[in-house]
Amino acid sequence: MERRAGIGRGRLGAARAPPQPETREMQAQSIEQITQGLQNATVGGRYRPSARPPRLNERPSHREERSTDSGNYSGPPSDPSSPEHQSLAQRVRAEVKTKEQKLMEDDMFDQGAHLQPAMKQKIEEGKFYGTSGTEVMLSSNFYRVDMRNMMRDERGRDVSWYQYRVDFKPAVDDVQKREELIDYIAENNTDIFPPLYIFEGTMIFAFSSLDEKKSKFIVKAKEKSIEVSLTLSNTFVPNNPLGVQVMNLINRKNIKDNLQLEQVQRSFFIKDRAIQVFSGGKTFEVWPGYSFAINTYEAGLFMVANIRAKVIPNYTVMDVLKATFQEAAEAVRSKPHLKNIESTKRIIGIQVRTHYNNKTYRIDDIAWDLSPQSEVRKADGKLFNFMDFFQDQYQIQIEEAVQPLLINRPKKRQQRRAVGADTNYLLPELCNLTGLDERTRKDFRVMRDLAVHTRKSPQMRSNELRKLIKYMKGKSQTQAAYMDRWGMMIGNKDQNPGNEEELFQVRGRELPPEELIMKCRGTGVLKTLQGSKEGDWDRTIKDWHMIETGSLENWGFVCTRRDQKRGSQFFSHLKDQGSKIGFRIEAPLVHVAETDRKDDINNAIASIFQNHYHNGVNTEMIFVLLPSRKADVYANVKLACMRRDRPVMSQCLLTSTIMADDKIAAVAFKVAMQMSCKLGGVPWQVKINLKNTMIIGIDTYHDTDRKGKNLTGFVSSYNKNATKWYSQTVQMCSKQEISDGLTHMMEGALEAWRYYNNNQLPDRIIIYRDGVGDGQLSYIHDHEVSKTSLFNLMIQILKRQLTKLTILLKLEKKQINQRFFRMNENGEEDNPYPGTVVDSKITRRDMYDFLLVSQKVRQGTVTPVHYNVIYDSTLNLNADKIQMISYKLTHLYFNWPGTIRVPAPCQYAHKLATLIGDHIHTEITDVEFASKPFYL
């Protein structure tokens, strides 16, 4: 082992060669700009004292006090003219130009950076708490993280952390081998290497610094030398976003190494407790596990722990390819290329786990023109083939010489960890599926058998969380000593002294059940009904008429000859159930197809169109009874009805759903309701207390089959009760979560409102944006909220009414880790009731946000939805109104007689985007057709 100094070595903090002479004013201005840039990349960084007032029910603190766990540490004021400050400014000025620093700043996005000043003030003043509803005490899956010992040394002095970039020459792709190299260097250079450090692929974070700003080490292994370079890239205090990232790394390393859990992406599993499940002729393993995430919330720094279950099928991607080839054997004889098409559809988008390094990848494409014998060029320019590579690197003999290569395209962050690789090639025979493919997910028996082990009740989940904390604290002396060295403590000892594993308590509110408006069957009078606390009116609706409905006279019924008798029985029930809700259904034009092949179905539909045309009537709807679940046949029906001259509503139903005599009436009732809604019917409504308000829902569909072509669904209400929706879609490139065509769709929404409201425009617009991650808020602000896009349109169209227009943009996120539980009458943890809101303590301190549970689940634990208000043009809606309207909208999804998880416009936008993206692949241009929910 030898050590060699790098070029440009020098003491940390030593001044570099001075630039061109500057005046003191110019220097101060430059330093101020750099400081401001650093503030934008951190939350409460060392240059800015915390100016945020205390929240309600929170002990006030003076500005000069330091928060120990919330990220609001304020260092001592510094003089811009001091040599220390100037040296720091010069170092930062050079380092922020690097690409790596820019990527790091992008990752550490400040959530409140793009909020309007008035909203920031509203957050600081704590004016986003609601008061309506009944207060309830809830327990949550949050555990406090105490980092006071990480912020100061033994003498009580503030400490800094050091970030080093690590480069390997030649490149070392295996992360485990990189860790072994770093550990070897640390053990053999204790005099100069930091005693306490954490390694993260290409970065080292340490409490202390190396003597040189750049150091090089040479490690000899297997008759070759590897040069390891460490370059100082950043210095920061523990309680900024980089510090939170480091704490997550420390916690994950502790769980992986000391608790010996197996890591799959960002979750950890106990492989020894795997459960074997045999179902559908296949074998699966279910691994129990956990996920962890440390972040700053309103009440401080917390670790959110959640229960996970990983389903591992016991077969490889090669097995899937062979099975697909065999299933498509008949089609392959006439059209050999079909085997590749079907295999691609089944493989693209799945997650796989490699045998040789236990890493997880997402399959983005298949290289049919490559094989293990093909030569591929590495990042350093050298050619290699996979047969030799796996033999030399992992001593693995490839059995199938003729197999395609799977392609994984890492994201930017993953490329940084993989030394810049933009494409990973994988071998099917060495990749196990880590989840379920689409075909398996549609197998009811398999999903039912797996749900026994994957869905945890609230009581089971909370008990598992308590066991986890006990396990973390009592596993071994090694892991306890590891956490003590870093100065991290995890547990809710402030709420439960001596019982730290208890769940964190938080106050919530149960909103009152929402009243429903329905039409009396006998008199036709609208009646207001008391809402259900369970958020379910499945039985109630059968006794009432739909508020708005019509009749179905000119329509076609298509079924196969085998299902003709069953189809006739179903129509009798359909007509009877339709009359119960006020929906009159006349006898259809029936056409019997010989088989369910696409040509036979197409001919049947065309025959119905032609017959109606000759009789001088327009076809209102096509109903197709399908004997099997074939995606291509279903898509063919939808496409056949999407005629350019005049699109027609379509309704598909599987024969298997009406085979049971005791269930056929219930199915007929739901189908009749759905058909009526597609034709413009309204089954129920709620009281929307916001006058002249347009509500918009936006969601994005990611198309894996069409290589980066994604679709945005956009639905907007055009009546005062938010029961009528105008639908639009626009296609866009991947990496662009919302398209630049939003302005065009907003214009269409306003024109639809104007058309149905006597040429008047709305006074208020509320936008619900579905599925936006924290890191996407900057893009959403720039492309949807900024005056250069959305407001530019508003100014052009609403010149006279702009003064009274209110625009409220709300983002909602479903894939979250937060869970909370209420105590039931038996003293056990249970799911909260629909309408439960939490807007304090476990919400984000830099956001105007709240968590809402809006649905009742029968199995497992309910997941709340995270709402984040990022723009309000007039700030005239208080928190109660915003929370209440969000809950009301979960009652207006007409495909389900109960509340749903998200507001109805978001669900409609999701259904719209999925239908167009999966099957139709073209935009709907017919205005009358787009004014009805054809996607239900």
Side-chain angles (χ1 to χ4, degrees):
M1 178 81 184
E2 61 180 274
R3 174 172 174 270
R4 190 170 61 201
I7 299 175
R9 78 184 264 192
R11 288 289 178 181
L12 179 65
R16 299 182 181 181
Q20 296 296 324
E22 298 179 28
T23 64
R24 183 175 296 274
E25 290 76 16
M26 292 173 62
Q27 293 175 0
Q29 183 179 4
S30 177
I31 292 170
E32 184 62 25
Q33 291 175 353
I34 295 170
T35 302
Q36 185 64 37
L38 290 176
Q39 287 179 353
N40 291 337
T42 60
V43 179
R46 70 160 45 174
Y47 303 111
R48 177 175 55 186
S50 174
R52 189 186 187 284
R55 297 262 180 137
L56 299 179
N57 303 324
E58 188 174 87
R59 186 177 65 183
S61 60
H62 296 290
R63 176 171 293 188
E64 58 270 11
E65 291 182 355
R66 298 186 177 99
S67 171
T68 61
D69 57 2
S70 65
N72 273 347
Y73 168 72
S74 61
S78 57
D79 180 10
S81 62
S82 66
E84 180 183 359
H85 198 142
Q86 289 189 19
S87 175
L88 176 64
Q90 291 170 357
R91 184 169 70 249
V92 173
R93 185 185 296 132
E95 291 172 349
V96 296
K97 294 180 181 179
T98 64
K99 178 179 179 181
E100 179 188 358
Q101 184 69 20
K102 182 180 183 302
L103 289 172
M104 186 63 70
E105 289 176 3
D106 290 342
D107 293 341
M108 296 295 108
F109 172 68
D110 182 359
Q111 309 295 344
H114 292 284
L115 294 179
Q116 64 210 90
M119 186 170 287
K120 287 183 180 180
Q121 182 178 357
K122 194 171 185 178
I123 293 176
E124 292 174 354
E125 294 173 356
K127 292 183 178 179
F128 52 86
Y129 292 105
T131 57
S132 61
T134 305
E135 190 176 278
V136 60
M137 205 67 188
L138 304 168
S139 53
S140 65
N141 58 336
F142 280 60
Y143 288 93
R144 189 176 292 279
V145 178
D146 191 341
M147 58 174 288
R148 283 174 293 185
N149 295 335
M150 303 180 72
M151 297 177 61
R152 297 175 182 86
D153 59 16
E154 297 82 356
R155 300 181 182 180
R157 298 174 300 184
D158 298 331
V159 300
S160 293
W161 285 1
Y162 301 87
Q163 177 184 347
Y164 288 89
R165 166 79 189 195
V166 183
D167 295 294
F168 298 87
K169 188 176 181 181
V172 179
D173 295 332
D174 191 347
V175 176
Q176 172 117 20
K177 291 187 177 181
R178 295 187 212 169
E179 292 180 354
E180 293 173 357
L181 288 171
I182 295 299
D183 290 341
Y184 180 82
I185 293 172
E187 292 173 3
N188 290 271
N189 295 270
T190 55
D191 55 331
I192 59 172
F193 208 85
L196 197 57
Y197 67 91
I198 186 81
F199 177 60
E200 186 264 338
T202 61
M203 291 288 172
I204 283 180
F205 298 95
F207 269 172
S208 56
S209 64
L210 290 165
D211 289 340
E212 289 93 9
K213 188 173 180 180
K214 183 172 184 178
S215 299
K216 291 186 179 180
F217 303 87
I218 304 296
V219 179
K220 293 184 178 179
K222 292 185 178 181
E223 300 181 354
K224 67 177 181 179
S225 297
I226 300 176
E227 181 182 283
V228 183
S229 302
L230 277 68
T231 307
L232 181 66
S233 60
N234 198 8
T235 304
F236 57 94
V237 292
N239 59 339
N240 72 4
L242 268 179
V244 174
Q245 181 187 12
V246 173
M247 281 181 276
N248 276 291
L249 293 174
I250 295 170
N251 189 47
R252 289 173 194 155
K253 185 173 179 60
N254 175 52
I255 292 166
K256 180 180 178 181
D257 295 348
N258 298 323
L259 301 185
Q260 297 179 348
L261 301 188
E262 179 129 0
Q263 184 174 2
V264 179
Q265 294 181 326
R266 295 196 174 187
S267 298
F268 297 85
F269 299 93
I270 309 174
K271 193 174 179 180
D272 296 340
R273 287 171 50 188
I275 302 170
Q276 293 278 346
V277 178
F278 302 93
S279 181
K282 301 176 183 178
T283 304
F284 304 87
E285 279 190 356
V286 180
W287 295 1
Y290 311 93
S291 65
F292 310 90
I294 296 175
N295 214 328
T296 303
Y297 297 88
E298 181 187 329
L301 194 68
F302 287 91
M303 180 186 75
V304 182
N306 205 1
I307 306 300
R308 298 290 185 192
K310 193 69 175 176
V311 179
I312 309 291
N314 282 349
Y315 49 85
T316 67
V317 176
M318 194 64 200
D319 296 330
V320 175
L321 291 175
K322 289 180 178 179
T324 306
F325 290 171
Q326 186 174 359
E327 292 169 5
E330 294 183 2
V332 168
R333 290 192 184 100
S334 58
K335 299 178 181 179
H337 67 282
L338 288 182
K339 68 177 183 179
N340 292 355
I341 295 176
E342 292 300 319
S343 300
T344 300
K345 288 181 179 180
R346 193 166 180 182
I347 299 298
I348 296 299
I350 65 173
Q351 299 280 343
V352 299
R353 186 175 175 84
T354 52
H355 298 173
Y356 45 89
N357 61 0
N358 287 331
K359 292 183 65 175
T360 305
Y361 301 90
R362 181 185 186 276
I363 303 305
D364 297 307
D365 205 349
I366 301 178
W368 295 102
D369 56 334
L370 298 179
S371 72
Q373 298 175 327
S374 302
E375 289 190 334
V376 179
R377 194 173 300 277
K378 299 173 69 175
D380 57 5
K382 295 181 180 179
L383 292 173
F384 75 101
N385 69 66
F386 290 93
M387 303 272 298
D388 297 337
F389 173 80
F390 282 101
Q391 181 65 46
D392 297 341
Q393 195 82 4
Y394 299 101
Q395 292 74 53
I396 295 177
Q397 182 70 36
I398 303 301
E399 297 179 0
E400 300 278 352
V402 180
Q403 58 178 304
L405 299 186
L406 309 177
I407 297 177
N408 163 258
R409 297 186 180 95
K411 297 180 180 180
K412 288 185 178 179
R413 182 183 302 177
Q414 295 169 325
Q415 289 181 27
R416 195 168 66 246
R417 290 175 56 88
V419 200
D422 59 356
T423 301
N424 293 322
Y425 292 96
L426 309 171
L427 269 62
E429 75 172 65
L430 300 181
C431 296
N432 266 89
L433 278 70
T434 64
L436 305 177
D437 59 8
E438 193 64 25
R439 185 172 300 183
T440 305
R441 290 181 185 276
K442 292 179 180 178
D443 191 323
F444 172 76
R445 292 176 300 170
V446 172
M447 298 306 294
R448 179 194 59 195
D449 294 340
L450 292 175
V452 175
H453 307 284
T454 57
R455 293 180 181 176
K456 301 286 186 180
S457 69
Q459 186 63 49
M460 294 171 63
R461 187 176 293 268
S462 57
N463 288 339
E464 287 289 333
L465 290 173
R466 294 185 181 96
K467 291 179 183 178
L468 166 67
I469 298 301
K470 284 185 177 180
Y471 187 70
M472 291 179 65
K473 290 187 170 294
K475 173 66 176 176
S476 67
Q477 296 286 339
T478 305
Q479 71 91 19
Y482 178 83
M483 297 298 280
D484 288 342
R485 288 178 62 200
W486 283 104
M488 278 183 63
M489 293 180 286
I490 299 176
N492 292 324
K493 63 180 180 180
D494 55 337
Q495 283 191 346
N496 306 285
N499 199 11
E500 301 178 25
E501 67 273 6
E502 281 302 316
L503 306 182
F504 185 75
Q505 302 295 307
V506 61
R507 294 184 186 276
R509 289 175 293 109
E510 292 177 354
L511 300 179
E514 190 62 38
E515 294 179 338
L516 297 173
I517 300 174
M518 296 184 183
K519 182 189 264 188
C520 182
R521 180 176 294 173
T523 64
V525 177
L526 296 184
K527 295 286 187 179
T528 301
L529 306 180
Q530 181 63 38
S532 166
K533 195 171 184 178
E534 301 288 335
D536 184 359
W537 51 92
D538 187 24
R539 296 181 179 178
T540 304
I541 196 166
K542 296 179 181 179
D543 299 327
W544 299 79
H545 271 184
M546 296 180 67
I547 294 176
E548 294 183 32
T549 187
S551 61
L552 183 59
E553 299 177 358
N554 304 305
W555 63 295
F557 190 103
V558 179
C559 64
T560 61
R561 190 167 300 280
R562 186 183 64 179
D563 296 331
Q564 187 175 3
K565 182 178 179 180
R566 199 62 181 174
S568 177
Q569 294 174 352
F570 176 74
F571 169 70
S572 299
H573 286 281
L574 185 69
K575 184 175 182 179
D576 180 57
Q577 296 297 326
S579 65
K580 292 182 179 180
I581 59 176
F583 181 40
R584 183 168 57 88
I585 304 177
E586 299 293 341
L589 179 61
V590 179
H591 193 102
V592 179
E594 292 298 325
T595 68
D596 64 340
R597 293 175 57 186
K598 291 190 292 185
D599 292 342
D600 291 341
I601 299 295
N602 270 346
N603 292 335
I605 294 174
S607 178
I608 292 172
F609 285 152
Q610 187 176 11
N611 189 291
H612 282 156
Y613 176 77
H614 286 313
N615 291 326
V617 297
N618 292 322
T619 305
E620 298 175 75
M621 180 175 286
I622 296 292
F623 186 103
V624 181
L625 189 61
L626 297 173
S628 60
R629 189 189 296 271
K630 294 181 180 179
D632 58 336
V633 177
Y634 176 82
N636 179 70
V637 172
K638 296 298 179 181
L639 283 171
C641 295
M642 291 296 174
R643 301 183 303 174
R644 291 187 177 182
D645 55 339
R646 187 180 180 275
V648 175
M649 293 293 171
S650 58
Q651 178 73 38
C652 296
L653 182 68
L654 286 173
T655 307
S656 58
T657 60
I658 57 173
M659 294 305 294
D661 292 334
D662 58 335
K663 295 180 180 180
I664 190 171
V667 174
F669 178 83
K670 293 180 179 179
V671 172
M673 180 87 67
Q674 190 177 79
M675 292 169 64
S676 179
C677 290
K678 285 184 177 181
L679 294 172
V682 176
W684 64 81
Q685 63 188 41
V686 297
K687 295 179 180 178
I688 302 293
N689 299 321
L690 300 176
K691 295 182 179 180
N692 207 25
T693 299
M694 176 196 287
I695 299 172
I696 294 173
I698 304 174
D699 194 16
T700 299
Y701 167 83
H702 302 281
D703 193 341
T704 57
D705 293 337
R706 304 185 72 192
K707 297 184 180 181
K709 293 294 184 181
N710 297 333
L711 198 82
T712 293
F714 186 106
V715 300
S716 57
S717 63
Y718 58 85
N719 69 336
K720 63 179 181 179
N721 296 317
T723 56
K724 303 281 189 175
W725 303 91
Y726 182 69
S727 308
Q728 304 172 80
T729 58
V730 66
Q731 204 169 60
M732 59 190 180
C733 301
S734 61
K735 308 297 182 184
Q736 189 178 357
E737 184 58 28
I738 188 66
S739 72
D740 295 331
L742 176 66
T743 300
H744 175 72
M745 291 191 291
M746 178 62 73
E747 184 176 13
L750 291 170
E751 288 301 322
W753 180 279
R754 190 202 298 268
Y755 178 79
Y756 289 103
N757 290 275
N758 299 321
N759 208 33
Q760 298 295 314
L761 288 168
D763 295 333
R764 180 183 289 112
I765 298 175
I766 300 178
I767 304 173
Y768 285 89
R769 179 70 173 87
D770 191 7
V772 178
D774 294 342
Q776 296 171 291
L777 295 182
S778 176
Y779 183 89
I780 294 296
H781 178 273
D782 294 341
H783 289 75
E784 299 182 35
V785 183
S786 68
K787 293 182 179 179
T788 60
S789 56
L790 184 60
F791 285 157
N792 184 37
L793 171 68
M794 296 300 173
I795 292 172
Q796 293 176 13
I797 299 180
L798 308 172
K799 289 182 179 179
R800 296 182 180 180
Q801 302 188 37
L802 187 62
T803 55
K804 66 175 184 178
L805 177 70
T806 298
I807 299 177
L808 179 69
L809 181 59
K810 299 174 68 175
L811 311 179
E812 58 98 348
K813 188 166 53 173
K814 304 185 294 290
Q815 304 300 326
I816 61 175
N817 290 318
Q818 290 94 322
R819 303 287 187 276
F820 39 86
F821 320 98
R822 66 174 178 88
M823 198 68 69
N824 62 20
E825 57 274 7
N826 297 324
E828 297 179 342
E829 269 106 359
D830 203 350
N831 283 317
Y833 285 114
T836 301
V837 176
V838 175
D839 57 7
S840 63
K841 287 192 176 181
I842 61 174
T843 51
R844 298 292 292 271
R845 66 169 52 226
D846 53 349
M847 290 183 180
Y848 186 173
D849 63 337
F850 61 93
L851 298 163
L852 172 63
V853 172
S854 56
Q855 66 175 157
K856 178 72 175 180
V857 297
R858 309 285 181 193
Q859 297 178 326
T861 304
V862 68
T863 302
V865 174
H866 184 206
Y867 293 83
N868 180 17
V869 183
I870 70 168
Y871 191 87
D872 188 349
S873 63
T874 59
L875 300 175
N876 60 359
L877 290 180
N878 59 30
D880 279 323
K881 290 182 179 179
I882 292 175
Q883 294 168 7
M884 189 64 73
I885 190 63
S886 300
Y887 184 48
K888 285 176 180 288
L889 290 173
T890 63
H891 294 68
L892 293 178
Y893 182 61
F894 296 147
N895 222 14
W896 176 255
T899 55
I900 60 173
R901 188 177 174 193
V902 299
C906 289
Q907 186 66 14
Y908 287 138
H910 172 73
K911 296 284 287 185
L912 168 67
T914 302
L915 175 65
I916 301 297
D918 271 344
H919 304 296
I920 299 178
H921 303 297
T922 184
E923 296 182 18
I924 305 301
T925 57
D926 188 278
V927 175
E928 182 181 355
F929 192 77
S931 300
K932 298 174 183 178
F934 60 90
Y935 39 80
L936 286 180

